[in-house]
């Protein structure tokens, strides 16, 4: 009630100040969303470029030889975890750490590139939508 009376007596200055404040808050939120959108587009472009590079490399036998060289040991490691550690409860396998963990992640992304791209895109979109 007091704000209404003060606003009426001051010729609408309180309303104009409040509107200006809320406009500045809205502009700040929009600029943050725009920055996040630009980051998301850059990340999506990077993922798409990586996917195209892998598609080109897949045409060569050397790619498949090197890919199998890394994928088979990782598959055996996962198989040991699933069969020996979990199903038979006969052992404990140490988790992958350091550079080997990064390689394992890259191998998974090479085995399932479309799923990785879709998952990353969904995560980025959720982050952007969550900020609005």
């Amino acid at each position: 009630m007091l704000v209404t009376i003060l606003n009426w007596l001051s010729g609408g200055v309180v309303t104009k100040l409040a509107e200006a404040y809320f406009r500045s808050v809205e502009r700040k939120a929009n600029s943050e969303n725009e920055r996040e959108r630009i980051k998301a587009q850059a990340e999506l472009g990077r993922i798409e470029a990586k996917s195209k590079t892998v598609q080109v490399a897949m045409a060569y036998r050397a790619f498949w030889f090197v890919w199998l060289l890394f994928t088979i040991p990782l598959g055996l490691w996962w198989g040991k975890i699933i069969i020996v550690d979990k199903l038979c409860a006969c052992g404990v396998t140490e988790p992958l750490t350091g550079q080997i963990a990064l390689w394992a992640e890259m191998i998974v992304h090479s085995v399932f590139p479309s799923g990785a791209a879709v998952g990353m895109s969904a995560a980025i979109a959720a982050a952007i939508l969550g900020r609005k």
Side-chain angles (χ1 to χ4, degrees):
M1 183 67 126
L2 179 62
V3 173
T4 306
I5 294 170
L6 287 174
N7 192 35
W8 180 71
L9 292 174
S10 65
V13 171
V14 174
T15 301
K16 290 177 185 175
L17 287 174
E19 287 174 356
Y21 171 75
F22 288 118
R23 274 195 308 269
S24 70
V25 169
E26 184 178 353
R27 277 194 300 263
K28 181 180 177 189
N30 286 340
S31 66
E32 287 177 18
N33 287 341
E34 185 64 18
R35 280 193 295 268
E36 291 297 321
R37 186 185 65 77
I38 291 169
K39 285 180 192 176
Q41 284 181 337
E43 182 66 20
L44 186 59
R46 187 185 68 75
I47 291 170
E48 288 173 349
K50 187 176 179 182
S51 176
K52 288 178 185 175
T53 301
V54 170
Q55 287 173 355
V56 169
M58 289 172 128
Y60 299 99
R61 285 186 186 179
F63 169 83
W64 290 107
F65 176 74
V66 173
W67 185 79
L68 287 172
L69 187 68
F70 284 90
T71 306
I72 290 172
L74 187 61
L76 293 173
W77 182 80
W78 280 324
K80 186 213 181 271
I81 290 174
I82 293 168
I83 295 169
V84 176
D85 294 355
K86 298 298 178 185
L87 293 178
C88 298
C90 296
V92 176
T93 304
E94 292 292 321
L96 296 177
T97 59
Q99 188 67 34
I100 295 173
L102 294 174
W103 289 347
E105 181 181 352
M106 289 176 14
I107 289 169
V108 169
H109 287 228
S110 74
V111 172
F112 308 106
S114 60
V118 169
M120 181 67 84
S121 301
I124 291 169
I128 290 173
L129 293 174
R131 293 191 62 110
K132 287 186 178 181

